[in-house]
Amino acid sequence: MSVLKRFRTQAKLEFFTNAQKLRRDFFMLMARDFGIKKGVRTVEFITKDMQPEDQQMFLAIVNKYGFTRFDTEYPQWIIEKFRDSLWQLTRELLLNLTAANSIYAFDFREAQERRLFQDKAIGNCEQILKELEFIIDVFPVATKKYTPYIQLVEKEISLIKGWRKSDNKRFNDLRNENANTATL
């Protein structure tokens, strides 16, 4: 028997599985150079619509200078900068989530430390959104191509905030204990 959607609870560690999916999806986006090209253009791709005499001339130049592939009009270093940035941000997101999840708070200081890692993970998500915004501004890609990625990041933010909120309820007693100890 199935449970009505409104009565379902969030799966434990859904924030973590969503973050792993986010990182995997961003990896695939980066592997395709952010959607600005479908792949590296080979010599055959470029010459397929040329007339035979133009093909021969072009192939002679390609062979003389050793060209084997042609990238887009954007310099590779720009793509590499964006790739490095997103790679690092998605990596830090997972590291912060792992660090936060590895702390089981027995006192208020540990609860604060866990909260700090959760906040850093939310910050990583916001940084990813800003980086995507800049990529969309720079590259001529349709914004709708990036909508699933943006939605995935926004879902991650809400999952982490939900996790943090449940921690607030759980660690409220630790906060009260810390306040009582400080007044003694």
Side-chain angles (χ1 to χ4, degrees):
M1 185 168 142
S2 64
V3 178
L4 293 175
K5 188 173 183 177
R6 67 175 182 241
F7 295 125
R8 292 182 200 157
T9 58
Q10 177 178 311
K12 290 187 179 198
L13 300 180
E14 185 178 350
F15 62 89
F16 198 74
T17 55
N18 188 68
Q20 288 174 318
K21 179 182 178 357
L22 185 147
R23 188 172 190 196
R24 192 172 37 256
D25 288 357
F26 274 100
F27 170 76
M28 294 310 294
L29 179 68
M30 291 183 278
R32 288 178 308 186
D33 289 341
F34 304 100
I36 59 172
K37 61 182 181 179
K38 290 183 176 44
V40 174
R41 283 142 180 98
T42 61
V43 174
E44 293 80 20
F45 177 81
I46 293 172
T47 60
K48 69 180 179 184
D49 295 328
M50 289 184 181
Q51 295 177 355
E53 59 273 2
D54 291 338
Q55 257 185 356
Q56 288 175 349
M57 221 179 349
F58 183 77
L59 289 173
I61 293 170
V62 165
N63 290 332
K64 180 178 179 182
Y65 293 102
F67 295 129
T68 57
R69 56 184 252 174
F70 301 89
D71 294 323
T72 64
E73 66 267 18
Y74 292 96
Q76 193 63 31
W77 67 267
I78 292 173
I79 295 169
E80 290 298 321
K81 288 286 185 189
F82 285 135
R83 190 179 288 136
D84 291 344
S85 176
L86 275 178
W87 181 270
Q88 188 61 30
L89 288 171
T90 56
R91 180 179 177 276
E92 285 176 18
L93 170 64
L94 279 165
L95 290 175
N96 285 322
L97 290 174
T98 303
N101 194 49
S102 69
I103 299 170
Y104 188 83
F106 288 105
D107 62 27
F108 185 65
R109 184 195 57 76
E110 289 174 339
Q112 285 179 313
E113 190 174 350
R114 179 175 167 121
R115 171 77 179 230
L116 180 65
F117 282 117
Q118 290 169 332
D119 290 344
K120 285 181 179 182
I122 292 171
N124 294 138
C125 289
E126 295 293 344
Q127 291 167 332
I128 290 169
L129 288 174
K130 287 299 175 194
E131 197 69 14
L132 282 177
E133 191 177 296
F134 187 58
I135 290 169
I136 291 168
D137 285 346
V138 171
F139 293 142
V141 292
T143 307
K144 67 180 181 177
K145 277 187 174 182
Y146 283 81
T147 302
Y149 302 101
I150 292 168
Q151 289 171 341
L152 201 57
V153 175
E154 288 173 346
K155 179 181 179 184
E156 184 64 21
I157 291 170
S158 73
L159 289 171
I160 297 169
K161 285 183 177 180
W163 177 37
R164 197 174 60 175
K165 190 174 184 179
S166 73
D167 275 2
N168 286 344
K169 292 176 187 174
R170 208 170 99 222
F171 298 139
N172 200 20
D173 294 338
L174 293 176
R175 188 176 295 121
N176 292 338
E177 285 178 23
N178 189 51
N180 292 339
T181 311
T183 57
L184 296 177

